[in-house]
Structure formats: structure tokens, C-alpha cells
Amino acid sequence: MSKSIFYHAGCPVCVSAEQDIVNLIGASNVDIVHIGEDRTRIAEAEKAGVKSVPALLTPNGNVLHLNFGASMADVKG
């Protein structure tokens, strides 16, 4: 994986964090995944270790959970 992946669910906390991440690391360095709209990516996020969104998966596989917005259970529900 060469890019970071930012997972979010579209809530105001997530959208604010998305804007900050893009400003910090650049749009070309991050894939934005709105799991509220693309529910097929939920299993991928969970397999990577995402427990809540917003979360940033780094290129080396670390998950950085940011400013708690929603648990994955809430997103799946």
C-alpha cells in the first residue's frame, strides 16, 4: 500500500477530519473512503483494524483513530 486510506461515515466530525487530513498530507497521498456510501468497504476497514471512524490507515498498516465519530457497530447498524 503506497497511500494512506481515510475511512469515514460522513458525519460532521468525519468531514472536518477529512479536510484536515487532505490539507496535511495532500489529496494525492490519501484515498478517501466514505463507508456510509460504500458499505462494501466496511469489512476491509475492519480487517485493517478500524474500530471507529474517522480513522486513517497509514501505508505501513497502522490505524490512527481520530476524534471519535462513530463505532463500526454504529456504521454497520
Side-chain angles (χ1 to χ4, degrees):
M1 177 171 74
S2 60
K3 287 184 173 185
S4 294
I5 303 173
F6 181 73
Y7 295 99
H8 75 91
C11 68
V13 169
C14 292
V15 172
S16 176
E18 175 186 347
Q19 292 168 351
D20 287 341
I21 291 296
V22 169
N23 287 335
L24 286 169
I25 66 175
S28 63
N29 296 316
V30 62
D31 287 327
I32 306 297
V33 177
H34 186 315
I35 58 176
E37 293 177 349
D38 187 356
R39 300 184 63 76
T40 64
R41 306 280 302 262
I42 291 173
E44 166 194 316
E46 289 180 317
K47 184 177 178 182
V50 174
K51 305 289 184 203
S52 64
V53 290
L56 182 70
L57 177 63
T58 67
N60 62 357
N62 290 321
V63 178
L64 308 176
H65 292 93
L66 310 168
N67 201 9
F68 185 81
S71 71
M72 292 304 285
D74 290 339
V75 172
K76 291 192 300 189

